[in-house]
């Protein structure tokens, strides 16, 4: 095994990574491609890739980050919506030896994909990630919505028509290249984080820089995609995510609060589903975490896992102390809807108090 910085991977190794990923049964998430690892490596100096070999041939890849105390974590943890190793058939390293070779005492994950047999047995929790299946075309998806969410679809389409009448012609761009639109999205999203009492991800320099790099990434299985809904020539909702040939990973959606009564974010998601289907993309991954809009839009769910694999020693204890109490507290709240609702209202109230 060799441990490299992501940008040190040769083109042969990257191509082998892509081949192994293409042969996997899991949906081809762009977060699991070498381009995502390289982009993270450019903004996270401790990012690494362990390359496993059988003879001279690469047989597997584990992208990860090494913390200052030797704790390991999935690459891009906190923003990556799909994590794990990329392994060839029959490649099953012993986890303790793998961690030792990576010079880490643990490997933490919060969106481990299903089928990661190396790490799933060490998961502490299973979560649902919500998906939209447009494999059979957008018209088929709309017919599903008419059955499962008829009021939602009718109301959303009516709001789209109303937006068109009152704010100007509605126009959708699936792959917008205008940097101003990306800046507007990040401003809306930062304001939304503050409004809801959540940590502003874009206030963290590495995340803002990562999104900027990925916005310029154009690869068959990992392309930064900015989708924008315009009304009267003005952006009213936008989304930035990553797409492969078969999966659109929905990542950062936001809208202009001035147009909230028209539900532009919901309209945006319907147009994204339509455009994705036209591009031959079969799956939109809305990500982990419950939300009313996801319940209305989804056609199904996939499992993802949270937890960590550790090897005995001080590092394992450090991992437990740094993550487990918080994770268990979050789990306790999530499992009690009334408490979760109270916590959400409290965060929003605190956010209002902090405003100047």
């Amino acid at each position: 095994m060799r441990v490299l910085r992501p940008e040190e991977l040769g083109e042969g190794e990257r191509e082998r990574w892509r081949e192994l990923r293409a042969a996997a049964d899991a949906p081809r998430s762009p977060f699991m491609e070498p381009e995502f690892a390289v982009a993270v490596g450019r903004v996270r100096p401790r990012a690494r890739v362990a390359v496993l070999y059988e003879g001279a041939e690469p047989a597997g890849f584990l992208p990860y980050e090494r913390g200052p105390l030797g704790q390991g974590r999935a690459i891009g943890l906190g923003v990556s919506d799909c994590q794990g190793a990329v392994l060839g058939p029959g490649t099953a390293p012993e986890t303790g030896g793998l961690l030792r070779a990576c010079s880490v005492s643990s490997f933490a994950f919060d969106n481990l994909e299903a089928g990661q047999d190396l790490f799933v047995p060490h998961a502490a929790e299973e979560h649902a990630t919500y998906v939209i299946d447009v494999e059979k075309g957008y018209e088929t998806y709309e017919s599903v919505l008419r059955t499962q969410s008829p009021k939602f679809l009718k109301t959303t389409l009516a709001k789209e028509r109303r937006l068109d009448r009152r704010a100007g012609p509605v126009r959708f761009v699936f792959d917008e290249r205008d940097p101003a639109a990306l800046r507007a999205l990040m401003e809306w999203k930062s304001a939304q984080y503050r409004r809801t009492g959540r940590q502003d991800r874009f206030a963290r320099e590495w995340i803002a820089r990562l999104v900027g790099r990925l916005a310029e990434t154009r690869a068959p299985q990992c392309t930064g995609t900015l989708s924008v809904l315009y009304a009267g020539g003005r952006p009213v909702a936008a989304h930035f995510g990553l797409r492969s040939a078969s999966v659109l990973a929905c990542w950062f959606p936001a809208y202009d609060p001035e147009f909230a009564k028209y539900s532009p974010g919901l309209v945006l998601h319907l147009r994204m589903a339509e455009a994705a289907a036209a591009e031959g993309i079969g799956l939109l991954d809305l990500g982990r975490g419950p939300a009313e809009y996801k319940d209305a839009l989804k056609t199904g769910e996939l499992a993802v896992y949270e937890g960590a694999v550790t090897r005995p020693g001080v590092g394992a204890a450090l991992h437990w102390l740094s993550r487990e109490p918080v994770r268990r507290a979050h789990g306790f709240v999530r499992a009690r809807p009334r408490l979760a609702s109270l916590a959400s209202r409290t965060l929003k109230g605190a956010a209002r108090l902090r405003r100047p």
Side-chain angles (χ1 to χ4, degrees), residues 154-174:
K154 182 178 179 180
T155 301
T156 303
L157 294 177
K159 287 181 177 180
E160 181 179 24
R161 293 191 294 270
R162 199 175 306 130
L163 176 65
D164 186 271
R165 289 195 304 269
R166 298 184 181 177
V170 170
R171 179 172 64 94
F172 172 76
V173 179
F174 181 54

Side-chain angles (χ1 to χ4, degrees), residues 37-115:
V38 170
V40 174
R42 298 292 186 186
V43 299
R44 302 283 283 176
R46 294 181 180 273
R48 297 290 186 271
V49 177
V51 186
L52 287 74
Y53 288 86
E54 289 181 1
E57 182 79 1
F61 301 85
L62 177 65
Y64 69 99
E65 295 179 44
R66 186 178 186 275
L69 298 177
Q71 296 169 280
R73 48 189 272 169
I75 197 163
L77 188 91
V79 294
S80 170
D81 284 348
C82 191
Q83 300 155 3
V86 178
L87 301 175
T91 302
E94 190 270 323
T95 55
L98 179 60
L99 296 185
R100 199 160 36 249
C102 292
S103 299
V104 295
S105 57
S106 58
F107 177 74
F109 46 84
D110 60 2
N111 278 284
L112 182 75
E113 70 175 356

Side-chain angles (χ1 to χ4, degrees), residues 163 170-172 227-231 234-238 264 267-268 271:
L163 176 65
V170 170
R171 179 172 64 94
F172 172 76
S227 299
V228 183
L229 186 74
Y230 293 91
R234 175 180 174 179
V236 296
V267 175
L268 173 75
R271 296 301 144 239

Side-chain angles (χ1 to χ4, degrees), residues 208-338:
R209 290 173 57 208
L210 175 64
V211 167
R213 284 191 172 276
L214 288 168
E216 299 173 353
T217 298
R218 296 286 182 269
Q221 301 301 334
C222 185
T223 292
T225 305
L226 174 65
S227 299
V228 183
L229 186 74
Y230 293 91
R234 175 180 174 179
V236 296
H239 164 268
F240 180 76
L242 302 176
R243 77 178 192 264
S244 68
S246 56
V247 175
L248 173 60
C250 301
W251 207 11
F252 292 109
Y255 61 87
D256 186 340
E258 182 181 335
F259 296 87
K261 64 182 179 181
Y262 301 109
S263 300
L266 295 176
V267 175
L268 173 75
H269 277 83
L270 288 180
R271 296 301 144 239
M272 283 166 52
E274 183 178 30
E279 290 283 330
I281 294 169
L283 194 73
L284 283 76
D285 186 346
L286 299 174
R288 171 187 150 182
E292 286 186 16
Y293 81 93
K294 294 181 184 180
D295 285 335
L297 290 164
K298 73 177 184 180
T299 59
E301 301 175 3
L302 298 175
V304 293
Y305 299 89
E306 180 178 356
V309 55
T310 62
R311 57 190 180 99
V314 174
L318 287 173
H319 168 81
W320 195 97
L321 289 170
S322 65
R323 296 190 65 89
E324 281 301 298
V326 174
R327 186 192 63 76
R328 292 189 181 194
H330 287 172
F332 181 85
V333 173
R334 283 196 304 267
R336 293 158 177 80
R338 291 180 62 184

